[in-house]
Amino acid sequence: YPTAWDEVEPGVWRFTNAPNVGIGSSTYLLTTPHGNVAFEGATVFTEAALEHVAALGGIDVLAASHPHTYGALFQLQDRFDPELA
């Protein structure tokens, strides 16, 4: 599944997949001078998407609200070794 990303607000990035799988969840990455926070999980992250996250400074904290939105958070955890919340 291709991963697309867009900056929905300054410093807030959304990562999505097409076609959607399951509930079609997205990941949001909030970039700040104090570290980046990712929330929820897209279905899968392509290598290009992971490289884009790295270029934005990686992930310091990773969180999800409940299990069916975990998606491919394991990819972010494996790649960036963030604190889990």
Side-chain angles (χ1 to χ4, degrees):
Y1 295 90
T3 309
W5 55 88
D6 60 317
E7 191 173 22
V8 295
E9 294 285 338
V12 178
W13 292 83
R14 175 178 50 204
F15 293 80
T16 58
N17 298 106
N20 285 331
V21 174
I23 64 170
S25 58
S26 301
T27 294
Y28 290 87
L29 179 67
L30 290 73
T31 59
T32 78
H34 306 288
N36 295 342
V37 177
F39 185 70
E40 304 295 11
T43 303
V44 66
F45 293 89
T46 60
E47 185 59 30
L50 293 171
E51 289 175 10
H52 187 71
V53 172
L56 292 170
I59 298 171
D60 297 287
V61 177
L62 181 59
S65 61
H66 49 288
H68 72 259
T69 60
Y70 285 2
L73 291 181
F74 70 92
Q75 287 182 280
L76 301 178
Q77 184 178 3
D78 289 350
R79 177 80 171 250
F80 300 104
D81 194 29
E83 178 182 344
L84 303 178

